Amino acid sequence: MRWNKFRLKTLTAAEDIVISSLADAGVEGVEIEDKVPLTEQDKQQMFVDILPDGPADDGIAYLSFYLEEDADKEAILKRVREELDDLRRFMDIGAGTIEESQTEDKDWINNWKQYFHQFYVDDILIIPSWEEMKPEDRDKMVIHIDPGTAFGTGMHETTQLCMRQLKKYVTEDTQLLDVGTGSGILSIVALKLGARHALGTDLDPCAISAAKENLEANQIPEGAMDVMIGNIIDDKAVQDAAGYERYDIVTANILADVLVPLTPVIVHQMKKGGIYITSGIIDEKEETVVKAVRAAGLEVVEVTHQGEWVSVTARKV
């Protein structure tokens, strides 16, 4: 199916109200392009620790929306322009110009598949649903993961560092707590290695559906993993629901700046002798995390590296 794409030029300061006006005109979804720096909350929910510097904010925003080819675009555009004219009476919305082009479903649904192919993390094969397994891989541990709305395909070095540590410590009795579970990939690896149960926590509600889909794709039995939405650092209800002195292994593949406040909290969820596997740490923040781990009373047992990324593994003594 072909779609009509409309790209509206406005101001970052007017984004929210323009989007609201577009909704009033019958536009259901909008893509936002701007140069506004990420907030600290945005950064905490992202996968990488240090982001590259972006261009300076120029105050300009582009809002793109799509209409089906057979939609009454003239009527919708007429309503959009009327809404914009109403806004101009009491605020500056910038140029308000609209560029039109055409695109197809495959442009944003299927094209990304060319960038994600099956790959190995040591003897673990990670493969998307649209690729065939090679005969020689039949005896390998296989993880079926499709890129989706929640982070975690196994391609990133930090995920691979955690996977290697899980291989060392998971047993058939392992109760795992996976903080920042995303797609659920670390929990799935642990369960494939024989762990008894996994609990994932995440700030993003998308993690629930993403983990569920990936659990089903990997034929993980129902009930083997639960996902809870909330911030275990400062939400006592989440801490209580997760339970105390309960987990043999805790994984936390998140930001170094989040690991620092997380660590003294998460030790209470860990059993004595429990293993704490952290990653998402850029190399220049290695010592910051090591200090936080030791300050929480944990014993550092191993620090591993891959590229510029670091994993710190510790034990509750």
Side-chain angles (χ1 to χ4, degrees), residues 151-169:
F151 285 119
T153 62
M155 292 188 72
H156 200 278
E157 291 93 333
T158 59
T159 309
Q160 295 179 19
L161 286 164
C162 289
M163 290 169 65
R164 292 188 179 99
Q165 296 306 97
L166 285 170
K167 288 171 63 180
K168 297 176 185 178
Y169 294 105

Side-chain angles (χ1 to χ4, degrees), residues 20 85 114 153 155 157 214 241 253 264 289 293 297 299:
S20 177
D85 288 341
Q114 66 185 295
T153 62
M155 292 188 72
E157 291 93 333
N214 289 323
N253 183 23
V289 175
V293 166
E299 174 192 9

Side-chain angles (χ1 to χ4, degrees), residues 272-312:
K272 185 175 182 180
I275 297 295
Y276 184 44
I277 300 171
T278 70
S279 195
I281 308 161
I282 199 75
D283 52 14
E284 62 190 64
K285 292 203 173 183
E286 174 183 333
E287 191 57 33
T288 299
V289 175
V290 168
K291 286 180 179 178
V293 166
R294 288 178 173 151
L298 299 171
E299 174 192 9
V300 175
V301 295
E302 190 173 11
V303 178
T304 55
H305 301 81
Q306 185 172 340
E308 60 184 351
W309 299 96
V310 181
S311 171
V312 177

Side-chain angles (χ1 to χ4, degrees), residues 17-65:
I17 195 165
V18 172
I19 291 172
S20 177
S21 295
L22 289 174
D24 291 340
V27 175
E28 296 182 355
V30 175
E31 292 177 355
I32 303 172
E33 302 171 64
D34 61 31
K35 299 173 184 174
V36 176
L38 295 172
T39 66
E40 287 305 312
Q41 183 178 5
D42 291 333
K43 292 177 183 177
Q44 287 180 9
Q45 296 188 55
M46 295 189 72
F47 188 74
V48 297
D49 198 356
I50 295 179
L51 296 167
D53 292 331
D57 181 14
D58 57 5
I60 302 297
Y62 292 92
L63 308 178
S64 296
F65 58 94

